[in-house]
Amino acid sequence: MAEQEASGLQVLLHTLQSSSDKESILTILKVLGDLLSVGTDRRIHYMISKGGSEALLQTLVDTARTAPPDYDILLPLFRLLAKVGLRDKKIGRKALELEALDVTLILARKNLSHGQNLLHCLWALRVFASSVSMGAMLGINGAMELLFKVITPYTRKRTQAIRAATEVLAALLKSKSNGRRAVNRGYVTSLLGLHQDWHSHDTANAYVQIRRGLLLCLRHIAALRSGREAFLAAQGMEILFSTTQNCLDDKSMEPVISVVLQILRQCYPKSPLPLVTASSAYAFPVPGRITTEPPHDLSEEDFEDDGDDEVDKDSDAEDGKVEDDDLETDVNKLSSKPGLDRPEEELMQYEAMCLELSYSFEELQSKLGDDLNSEKTNHHHIPAAASSKQHCYSKDQSSCGQEREYAVQTSLLCRVKMGRSTVHLGSKKNPGVNLYQNVQSSSLRRDSSESEIPDIQASLKADAWDIDAIFCPRMSASFSNSTRTREAVKVIDKLLQTHLKRVPFHDPYLYMAKARRTSSVVDFKMMAFPDVWGHCPPPTTQPMLERKCGVQRIRIFEDIRRLIQPSDVINKVVFSLDEPWPLQDNASNCLRFFSKFESGNLRKAIQVREFEYDLLVNADVNSTQHQQWFYFKVSGMQAAIPYHFNIINCEKPNSQFNYGMQPTLYSVKEALLGKPTWIRTGHEICYYKNHYRQSTAVAGGASGKCYYTLTFAVTFPHNEDVCYLAYHYPYTYTALMTHLDILEKSVNLKEVYFRQDVLCQTLGGNPCPLVTITAMPESNSDEHLEQFRHRPYQVITARVHPGESNASWVMKGTLEFLVSSDPVARLLRENFIFKIIPMLNPDGVINGNHRCSLSGEDLNRQWLSPSAHLQPTIYHAKGLLYHLSSIGRSPVVFCDFHGHSQKKNVFLYGCSIKETLWQAACTVGTSTILEEVNYRTLPKILDKLAPAFTMSSCSFLVEKSRASTARVVVWREMGVSRSYTMESSYCGCNQGPYQGLQFGTRELEEMGAMFCLGLLILELKSASCSHQLLARAATLLSAEEEALDQHLQR
């Protein structure tokens, strides 16, 4: 049957080419038209495969060359060619070879006054010009001049032909040679004039497609540097900007406005960032590295102007997706185990970090008793007695038992049983609501707060101090005896006594003591109020911000307005790390900024208009890149006024800020009113590519990289408040050190073995803590000591990337849970030894970096061959793992906690040889590879347990670009099959109980606890799990028997 159909079609096509009978030709054309008008595109492709395009083109040429041409045949022929040509990618080349290109152009010229004939010719030219090379050929033959005779100023006549002509011209201008020809002949000015004319007359928007066609022509010309220059010289920016301002909200004008926006963005002059240098404002002399002069940004002439388009994105573009060409397909590299990267005798030093393997119970008990009385740990921890002179809480606030009880009010399994966890929902009806909005009215009813805050503020004002400035000096030895500092301490004491709300596992005095020992590159003299005062999670979980339609468009048009209407632009630098201090006049009508405190990052602030500021964040120390993390203080604001902040030198091509994420805000006045809380805030949020480019000199001769703007508006809750804004909930190095000391003092020493060691000193001179947590042996009997020393290890690390503060909040939840009285935590301690490095990059965290250490390197790309001098934390973390492996104690699970900026939820990355090879479609050697699938068990468990976790985002592929990460190196070199990176979104969840909600610190800490529960269930599900552990689990968790049964199904 198929052969009969094929032969029938071929007969029709052959007859069409050979027949000179008009009726026969018309009949065949009608039959072909009927065949192609029904069914799918498969019929058209089939006809093309049988030579249908060539038959139609040859018939066109033969008919056109008869005298006179028969348009009864030509018109249906053109219609068929227009339909077939849309599916035939080679139609232009075929038309050229059969001379149909020239024939059609000639027919068009002859029919300029005949609308229908001309329209059909234009339809054919449109498909011929779909090939850029054929478009260039048509341009050489004068097609553009012809089209400008068709495209006239506004008229209601022949509008179909005019529309078709604009579409053909737009197709022709995709050719660079045609674009240059258009510039040289002044077509840019002509097109702008035509656009203005049609725009002003087409008040009913009846001819939007013609206007769009004209704009598409301009957009293609603007792809050339000369085209952009001609566009700017012709006042194109001003013309397109002014013609669209009155129709931005008209949905029928969307086809026009979207192209206008693309042209304006293309033609906006590219410029360097308003910085003296692309390098960080902070410099650190790296041992053994020659310091070079930092590269300076050059003038505009130094830029390679790419003129690329960017279409607004409305869906997640997740960078977690692995490109197949990045997958490691070398089976030897995947399966081989490299040798040690250091002399074996070096591993002996790590025995001192595993004292739990050698202590006798008496020695251990004695050592712990000594530690309790040692100066090293006798800081201002939570004391038992009240004394303001000793800088401590009152007795009823500070017992260690209460710290433990706060952490685990209900057991973890009980929360799982209740439906994963308790979700504190915010208002989904108004997702942009500010949690502080109702604070002002409610605080008026607080007698104690209302009566004392004004008095304190008055006293501060009299002494020319603001709350933040008094509270936050680090009080280092160099000026601790000054009169002003003593006065500041008195005010601090008064504030703490009257306004401090107890924050679990936090002590402001201990924090201040620890901060004095924290070493920073520029020796910070101030501490941020939120870090000292503490943070309590908000009472409700905040929903993701519903993105306002057109918000990105509005902000881009504002950028254009600033360029073409600069009269109201203030352009005043009000804060800069690069320029002499102070730049700010307290009496001036502008916000005051500050960022020179731990983890702070704001390099420059420029007042654009009264309530709008451009902000630039600092590059990582010893680097020219990684601008993403921000954390700064702002004061001097007016309440109930939206302030716009534009962070103009972000680097990532997309962000969760486009998909519901909000930055975080902390109000000092709110903290003094009893709400010491970081909250999500901001509206009119979007993230988009801007006109700034890095100079080619800085980029090493390559085309300068693009920058992106994060813009958001904040309405502050109080007048003259002091607020802090951050990319995510900050968690400083000093906060960690404070937390560890308080945890150590909170544990029951008879039950919990909690030890702090120093893994190493960082480049910046800060100790990197190593924490060991397990259960004390039941007694000093040989049996109990043997069980104690042979518990398997679990190794957890975090915060190798400083900007991923969410990883620290997850780690905080893990640490607090492991030392808690929860029965799951007790079981975990009794059966495992936890080695935890809670912050692998202290220097980066301290100095406000986003990605790197002080050496300017991403430490999670240094695990293959780390240097003890340049990457000490990685070198010694790997050494510790080597040591455990060498004594046959490799961890059951290794997990490195991270944060993810472009995906939602929490998920794991693991390692699998077979999955990697399958994904890469590489089957060589896979049949001989033996690989257990136990690496999938833990993520499957977490998918059932944790409300924030999703298995669907997990990946077990090994990429070439990740070969030197902790996950891959621990998997390959230490043979840990369950080696993971756990990623937590900066934003929130799009699945499960937390769907549509942003993460708060409560949810992140909960994930840390859930991870621990997952480790226990992983062990209980394993074939090697002892009957003793199963029996112990049944005894301790009898109250949660149903929940336990649910997760122990094998």
Side-chain angles (χ1 to χ4, degrees):
M1 184 69 181
E3 290 180 2
Q4 291 177 351
E5 289 179 359
S7 60
L9 178 61
Q10 288 171 334
V11 168
L12 283 175
L13 295 176
H14 177 73
T15 306
L16 180 65
Q17 289 176 274
S18 59
S19 176
S20 57
D21 180 60
K22 179 177 179 179
E23 292 303 322
S24 299
I25 294 173
L26 288 174
T27 301
I28 293 171
L29 291 176
K30 185 178 185 308
V31 170
L32 292 174
D34 291 342
L35 282 172
L36 301 184
S37 64
V38 294
T40 64
D41 287 350
R42 290 180 61 186
R43 290 191 176 186
I44 297 177
H45 289 294
Y46 182 72
M47 178 177 167
I48 292 169
S49 69
K50 296 302 179 182
S53 300
E54 290 86 342
L56 294 175
L57 290 168
Q58 187 61 59
T59 306
L60 168 64
V61 172
D62 293 342
T63 306
R65 286 176 175 171
T66 59
D70 192 337
Y71 285 95
D72 289 338
I73 296 175
L74 287 173
L75 296 188
L77 198 53
F78 277 134
R79 287 195 291 271
L80 272 175
L81 274 170
K83 180 176 287 190
V84 173
L86 289 174
R87 303 292 179 269
D88 189 346
K89 295 180 180 179
K90 298 180 180 179
I91 188 70
R93 175 64 57 186
K94 293 173 182 177
L96 177 66
E97 291 173 353
L98 294 172
E99 300 181 358
L101 213 60
D102 291 337
V103 165
T104 306
L105 204 54
I106 292 168
L107 289 174
R109 287 195 180 99
K110 291 180 177 179
N111 286 279
L112 286 174
S113 58
H114 195 296
Q116 276 302 307
N117 294 352
L118 176 62
L119 178 61
H120 284 70
C121 293
L122 292 172
W123 285 344
L125 288 173
R126 184 173 58 192
V127 295
F128 297 160
S130 60
S131 162
V132 174
S133 58
M134 293 305 102
M137 187 68 68
L138 285 167
I140 292 171
N141 292 333
M144 288 197 297
E145 293 83 349
L146 168 68
L147 294 171
F148 270 101
K149 294 178 181 178
V150 181
I151 305 171
T152 63
Y154 177 78
T155 177
R156 294 183 181 179
K157 300 177 180 178
R158 303 206 311 171
T159 53
Q160 277 189 302
I162 294 174
R163 174 181 172 179
T166 60
E167 292 170 352
V168 176
L169 182 58
L172 294 178
L173 288 169
K174 291 180 181 178
S175 159
K176 289 184 178 180
S177 61
N178 284 341
R180 285 189 287 269
R181 190 175 291 112
V183 172
N184 295 335
R185 296 182 181 179
Y187 290 165
V188 172
T189 303
S190 301
L191 288 167
L192 283 169
L194 287 166
H195 165 74
Q196 281 182 291
D197 185 73
W198 279 89
H199 177 81
S200 61
H201 288 93
D202 183 24
T203 55
N205 296 332
Y207 305 113
V208 167
Q209 292 304 322
I210 292 177
R211 293 153 66 182
R212 181 177 183 272
L214 294 169
L215 291 167
L216 286 173
C217 296
L218 285 168
R219 195 189 75 180
H220 294 318
I221 294 174
L224 300 172
R225 180 193 293 268
S226 59
R228 293 190 291 275
E229 291 172 351
F231 179 82
L232 292 172
Q235 303 295 303
M237 299 288 283
E238 292 82 352
I239 292 171
L240 294 192
F241 180 83
S242 61
T243 55
T244 52
Q245 290 310 292
N246 295 328
C247 53
L248 292 177
D249 297 328
D250 189 341
K251 291 186 178 180
S252 68
M253 286 290 291
E254 178 64 27
V256 168
I257 295 170
S258 62
V259 182
V260 167
L261 203 63
Q262 292 168 13
I263 298 170
L264 293 176
R265 297 182 76 178
Q266 269 184 313
C267 296
Y268 198 117
K270 305 302 181 284
S271 61
L273 290 167
L275 294 172
V276 294
T277 174
S279 299
S280 172
Y282 301 148
F284 177 80
V286 180
R289 185 177 295 176
I290 299 173
T291 304
T292 57
E293 183 71 19
H296 288 268
D297 274 341
L298 305 182
S299 63
E300 238 178 280
E301 287 74 18
D302 183 53
F303 288 82
E304 183 65 34
D305 213 346
D306 49 23
D308 55 345
D309 302 344
E310 182 182 287
V311 178
D312 293 353
K313 298 172 182 176
D314 294 319
S315 60
D316 290 320
E318 299 170 344
D319 70 352
K321 293 183 179 178
V322 180
E323 297 294 335
D324 286 353
D325 58 2
D326 187 38
L327 294 176
E328 181 58 75
T329 56
D330 188 326
V331 178
N332 291 329
K333 288 184 179 180
L334 287 169
S335 56
S336 64
K337 185 176 180 179
L340 282 174
D341 63 359
R342 65 197 75 193
E344 191 170 353
E345 54 270 21
E346 274 195 25
L347 301 183
M348 300 295 291
Q349 64 182 303
Y350 301 105
E351 289 182 358
M353 299 178 192
C354 300
L355 294 178
E356 64 276 1
L357 298 180
S358 58
Y359 273 170
S360 69
F361 186 65
E362 292 84 1
E363 290 171 340
L364 184 62
Q365 197 171 37
S366 172
K367 177 67 177 176
L368 285 172
D370 292 343
D371 282 351
L372 285 174
N373 300 315
S374 70
E375 183 179 355
K376 174 178 179 290
T377 56
N378 191 24
H379 302 316
H380 299 295
H381 61 279
I382 305 175
S387 171
S388 61
K389 292 182 180 179
Q390 293 180 346
H391 295 171
C392 56
Y393 298 132
S394 62
K395 184 176 181 179
D396 64 338
Q397 291 178 312
S398 60
S399 74
C400 296
Q402 284 183 345
E403 288 288 6
R404 291 196 298 272
E405 288 306 313
Y406 186 95
V408 278
Q409 295 172 352
T410 58
S411 74
L412 189 63
L413 267 178
C414 187
R415 278 185 279 164
V416 172
K417 183 179 178 181
M418 288 188 294
R420 284 190 160 183
S421 76
T422 304
V423 182
H424 302 272
L425 294 176
S427 170
K428 286 197 174 184
K429 293 182 180 179
N430 186 10
V433 67
N434 188 329
L435 290 183
Y436 288 150
Q437 281 180 345
N438 298 322
V439 170
Q440 289 170 296
S441 58
S442 62
S443 65
L444 293 175
R445 295 189 291 272
R446 299 186 185 186
D447 296 336
S448 60
S449 298
E450 187 61 23
S451 62
E452 293 182 15
I453 286 182
D455 295 338
I456 291 172
Q457 288 181 327
S459 67
L460 297 178
K461 198 167 185 180
D463 294 330
W465 289 85
D466 67 86
I467 296 173
D468 206 28
I470 282 192
F471 192 86
C472 294
R474 286 177 58 184
M475 296 177 288
S476 63
S478 61
F479 63 98
S480 60
N481 294 323
S482 69
T483 303
R484 200 170 206 182
T485 301
R486 287 196 298 271
E487 292 174 355
V489 172
K490 291 179 182 179
V491 177
I492 292 170
D493 279 337
K494 187 174 182 180
L495 287 173
L496 289 172
Q497 290 171 35
T498 50
H499 298 289
L500 185 64
K501 178 179 179 179
R502 178 174 170 270
V503 176
F505 295 102
H506 183 73
D507 181 346
Y509 292 103
L510 179 57
Y511 186 96
M512 289 187 281
K514 290 286 184 183
R516 292 176 214 161
R517 303 172 189 174
T518 299
S519 176
S520 57
V521 169
V522 292
D523 191 21
F524 296 135
K525 297 290 191 276
M526 306 290 284
M527 293 176 288
F529 184 98
D531 301 328
V532 179
W533 198 262
H535 157 79
C536 286
T540 59
T541 303
Q542 293 178 255
M544 292 180 197
L545 182 69
E546 187 175 341
R547 178 157 168 158
K548 180 182 175 183
C549 182
V551 62
Q552 179 169 312
R553 176 171 296 172
I554 292 168
R555 297 311 305 167
I556 293 171
F557 273 120
E558 282 300 311
D559 290 346
I560 305 300
R561 184 193 302 278
R562 196 192 303 187
L563 173 71
I564 63 178
Q565 298 175 2
S567 58
D568 65 336
V569 175
I570 300 172
N571 206 32
K572 175 186 176 183
V573 177
V574 296
F575 172 80
S576 176
L577 297 179
D578 302 302
E579 299 174 42
W581 186 260
L583 290 171
Q584 297 179 346
D585 177 6
N586 288 341
S588 65
N589 187 25
C590 68
L591 295 176
R592 298 184 293 277
F593 296 86
F594 189 75
S595 66
K596 294 182 75 171
F597 49 77
E598 186 176 348
S599 292
N601 191 324
L602 178 67
R603 182 170 184 169
K604 194 171 188 176
I606 304 168
Q607 186 177 19
V608 178
R609 296 185 179 91
E610 184 177 4
F611 303 114
E612 182 177 2
Y613 294 82
D614 279 355
L615 308 178
L616 293 102
V617 294
N618 199 16
D620 285 2
V621 177
N622 283 325
S623 171
T624 61
Q625 53 186 338
H626 307 301
Q627 297 100 320
Q628 205 76 20
W629 168 260
F630 59 87
Y631 180 21
F632 58 87
K633 182 185 84 171
V634 59
S635 57
M637 68 284 292
Q638 300 176 45
I641 290 178
Y643 287 83
H644 282 92
F645 299 100
N646 312 311
I647 300 177
I648 62 175
N649 64 331
C650 301
E651 286 191 326
K652 288 184 178 289
N654 203 0
S655 170
Q656 282 293 314
F657 282 117
N658 275 337
Y659 310 109
M661 177 176 159
Q662 296 171 284
T664 59
L665 178 140
Y666 190 105
S667 163
V668 171
K669 283 192 175 182
E670 286 298 319
L672 296 178
L673 290 169
K675 294 183 180 293
T677 301
W678 281 100
I679 65 163
R680 302 277 191 166
T681 193
H683 52 280
E684 297 181 23
I685 300 175
C686 64
Y687 187 96
Y688 60 93
K689 186 191 291 185
N690 59 37
H691 64 279
Y692 293 107
R693 299 291 182 270
Q694 189 181 69
S695 72
T696 53
V698 174
S703 179
K705 71 179 178 185
C706 306
Y707 290 102
Y708 297 79
T709 292
L710 165 63
T711 180
F712 57 93
V714 175
T715 303
F716 295 101
H718 300 284
N719 280 317
E720 293 297 326
D721 196 0
V722 176
C723 291
Y724 291 78
L725 287 165
Y727 184 83
H728 194 69
Y729 308 100
Y731 190 98
T732 64
Y733 169 76
T734 301
L736 169 68
M737 301 305 283
T738 304
H739 187 227
L740 292 179
D741 268 22
I742 295 175
L743 278 180
E744 187 170 13
K745 298 304 178 184
S746 74
V747 300
N748 184 338
L749 297 179
K750 294 181 180 180
E751 296 181 0
V752 181
Y753 179 97
F754 185 101
R755 180 179 180 83
Q756 286 191 69
D757 290 296
V758 175
L759 179 71
C760 62
Q761 294 291 321
T762 67
L763 279 179
N766 294 290
C768 177
L770 168 67
V771 178
T772 305
I773 299 174
T774 188
M776 293 290 284
E778 291 184 36
S779 72
N780 62 351
S781 68
D782 291 344
E783 180 185 356
H784 288 150
L785 287 178
E786 187 75 5
Q787 191 275 341
F788 175 81
R789 293 169 182 162
H790 283 82
R791 293 170 187 167
Y793 279 90
Q794 307 278 11
V795 177
I796 308 173
T797 61
R799 207 68 185 278
V800 70
H801 295 144
E804 295 169 5
S805 60
N806 41 0
S808 282
W809 288 102
V810 176
M811 177 59 78
K812 181 175 183 287
T814 296
L815 289 166
E816 289 179 10
F817 178 75
L818 285 175
V819 302
S820 73
S821 59
D822 190 285
V824 172
R826 191 177 303 131
L827 269 180
L828 284 164
R829 292 194 301 267
E830 290 173 354
N831 290 277
F832 296 106
I833 300 172
F834 288 85
K835 288 290 184 186
I836 298 174
I837 308 173
M839 193 171 284
L840 279 167
N841 192 350
D843 292 340
V845 172
I846 291 165
N847 293 285
N849 284 6
H850 178 70
R851 189 83 176 176
C852 298
S853 65
L854 293 186
S855 62
E857 298 169 308
D858 181 344
L859 291 182
N860 203 35
R861 298 296 184 274
Q862 308 300 323
W863 279 77
L864 272 178
S865 53
S867 161
H869 302 292
L870 295 179
Q871 304 101 24
T873 61
I874 305 304
Y875 183 85
H876 291 290
K878 187 177 181 182
L880 176 61
L881 286 159
Y882 265 144
H883 171 66
L884 293 176
S885 179
S886 70
I887 61 174
R889 305 295 295 276
S890 290
V892 177
V893 170
F894 169 83
C895 192
D896 189 20
F897 291 174
H898 282 251
H900 207 288
S901 67
Q902 298 195 41
K903 295 179 76 171
K904 290 184 172 69
N905 310 307
V906 181
F907 50 94
L908 287 176
Y909 290 137
C911 301
S912 166
I913 299 175
K914 285 194 172 183
E915 289 196 35
T916 302
L917 295 176
W918 287 336
Q919 179 67 29
C922 177
T923 58
V924 178
T926 54
S927 59
T928 60
I929 295 172
L930 297 177
E931 182 178 57
E932 295 183 16
V933 294
N934 58 10
Y935 59 86
R936 279 184 165 266
T937 309
L938 180 59
K940 286 180 178 178
I941 292 170
L942 292 174
D943 188 54
K944 294 179 180 179
L945 292 178
F949 194 90
T950 177
M951 184 71 183
S952 61
S953 293
C954 295
S955 172
F956 306 94
L957 306 178
V958 181
E959 311 95 319
K960 297 172 186 175
S961 60
R962 303 292 192 274
S964 56
T965 61
R967 164 178 63 99
V968 177
V969 169
V970 173
W971 171 70
R972 283 188 61 209
E973 299 190 20
M974 286 76 175
V976 179
S977 61
R978 297 187 182 100
S979 178
Y980 303 107
T981 298
M982 188 163 81
E983 300 275 2
S984 301
S985 173
Y986 286 108
C987 182
C989 285
N990 59 10
Q991 56 82 45
Y994 293 162
Q995 183 174 2
L997 301 176
Q998 297 184 80
F999 284 146
T1001 55
R1002 179 190 287 109
E1003 290 71 42
L1004 293 170
E1005 290 182 53
E1006 178 191 71
M1007 186 63 232
M1010 289 290 179
F1011 179 80
C1012 297
L1013 175 57
L1015 294 178
L1016 177 63
I1017 294 176
L1018 176 68
E1019 178 64 17
L1020 295 174
K1021 288 170 70 73
S1022 69
S1024 60
C1025 181
S1026 67
H1027 292 291
Q1028 183 180 5
L1029 174 56
L1030 285 170
R1032 184 75 173 141
T1035 301
L1036 288 178
L1037 303 177
S1038 57
E1040 285 79 35
E1041 188 173 349
E1042 292 180 15
L1044 182 62
D1045 289 343
Q1046 176 186 351
H1047 299 291
L1048 291 183
Q1049 300 300 320
R1050 297 193 178 182

